[in-house]
Amino acid sequence: MDKTTLTPEESLLLITKTIEATKRRFEENGHIIILWGVLMFTVFFSQYIFSITGLYKKFDIIWTVILFPLGAIYQFIYVRKTINRKNLPKTLLLRVITTMGWAMGLNLMVLGFLFSQQLGDAMAPVFIILLALSMIVIGASIEFKPLFIGGLVLNLIGFCTFWLARDYHGFSMMLGAIVGLIIPGILLNKARRNKNV
Amino acid sequence: MFKELDPILHSQLRLSIVSTLMTVDEANFNFIKDTTNATSGNISIQIKKLQEAGYIQVKKSFKDNYPNTMLSITDKGRAAFEDYVNNLNKYINPGK
């Protein structure tokens, strides 16, 4: 591949095609967003089931303490493997999303495990609002409207949760997982697959 | 009047390499190879020419016991690319 006599039109087309091809290679396929949505839904749905069957005290710790860190470990391995497999380069966008993802994840875990007493009834709304912020930023960064809108709706759910009794906070989390993560994640996955066909 | 197009950039593979590097902070040799679909030998030659022109920076190291060549665009390369694109636009739209 080396042609020295390019016309100006060919040169511009080559530049456009190369930049498009480069961008496509590090596009997020929604896998991680779906993973966290399903994880979040599973944790709160199972907690609800345990609470109505009277098993809550036995199993809540197992789900929360094991499933979320397990998700974080899976994400770490998945991201590393993807970067190595695709030889992904360093980009500003990738750096922003990765740093924000980890910072947000760690903050949510610290809040959940160390400050749940202090936060009391505000725990779930704060959790949802922080999650919503990251979805809004990611949606805007990768210019994917459903994710951005999902983040806004999640943000709204977070504020509305302040008005709900604590017993219903789990439902807000489940709704938030579906609207803010699972649906936009699936749409993102579909959009990327269609683009790659 | 039309300015002459930069001969360093006015080659398919070199232009492809520089266009790729314009979108990223830095990329390794294999990423460039996958993006351009060119052979390793050809890429190496063009990288050397771009490096000699001061358009790209090449950092060689080892990663998991394998050689790892990282490439990034320099300020000079960025300016040359922007100049090149501006000149292309003048050729395509001479009135503007």
Side-chain angles (χ1 to χ4, degrees), chain A residues 9-137:
Chain A
E9 286 84 359
E10 282 175 334
S11 291
L12 266 187
L13 188 68
L14 177 71
I15 292 168
T16 314
K17 275 188 174 175
T18 309
I19 291 173
E20 281 299 312
T22 309
K23 276 186 180 171
R24 228 183 356 257
R25 291 197 48 205
F26 46 72
E27 272 177 347
E28 165 60 43
N29 62 7
H31 180 76
I32 292 295
I33 295 167
I34 298 170
L35 166 86
W36 282 104
V38 170
L39 218 56
M40 197 170 133
F41 184 86
T42 310
V43 166
F44 291 99
F45 183 70
S46 58
Q47 278 186 356
Y48 170 69
I49 297 293
F50 290 149
S51 71
I52 55 172
T53 52
L55 295 166
Y56 185 75
K57 285 285 162 216
K58 279 184 182 173
F59 294 105
D60 70 320
I61 290 293
I62 296 171
W63 284 111
T64 319
V65 173
I66 293 179
L67 272 187
F68 283 136
L70 219 59
I73 293 167
Y74 174 82
Q75 181 179 344
F76 179 76
I77 295 168
Y78 174 82
V79 171
R80 273 198 77 108
K81 267 193 168 178
T82 310
I83 288 174
N84 285 339
R85 184 165 40 89
K86 290 184 172 179
N87 290 310
L88 284 188
K90 287 179 187 168
T91 63
L92 179 68
L93 182 63
L94 203 66
R95 249 195 350 252
V96 168
I97 291 176
T98 312
T99 311
M100 201 196 55
W102 284 114
M104 192 66 76
L106 283 173
N107 272 288
L108 290 177
M109 279 196 188
V110 170
L111 281 177
F113 293 132
L114 300 178
F115 298 101
S116 54
Q117 293 281 322
Q118 284 88 338
L119 282 167
D121 286 354
M123 183 66 215
V126 167
F127 187 96
I128 296 172
I129 291 167
L130 282 176
L131 198 61
L133 291 182
S134 51
M135 290 305 115
I136 290 169
V137 173

Side-chain angles (χ1 to χ4, degrees), chain B residues 3-18:
Chain B
K3 269 174 83 177
E4 199 182 319
L5 291 170
D6 186 341
I8 299 287
L9 292 180
H10 201 58
S11 133
Q12 193 169 352
L13 185 50
R14 286 197 292 272
L15 186 59
S16 218
I17 293 169
V18 173

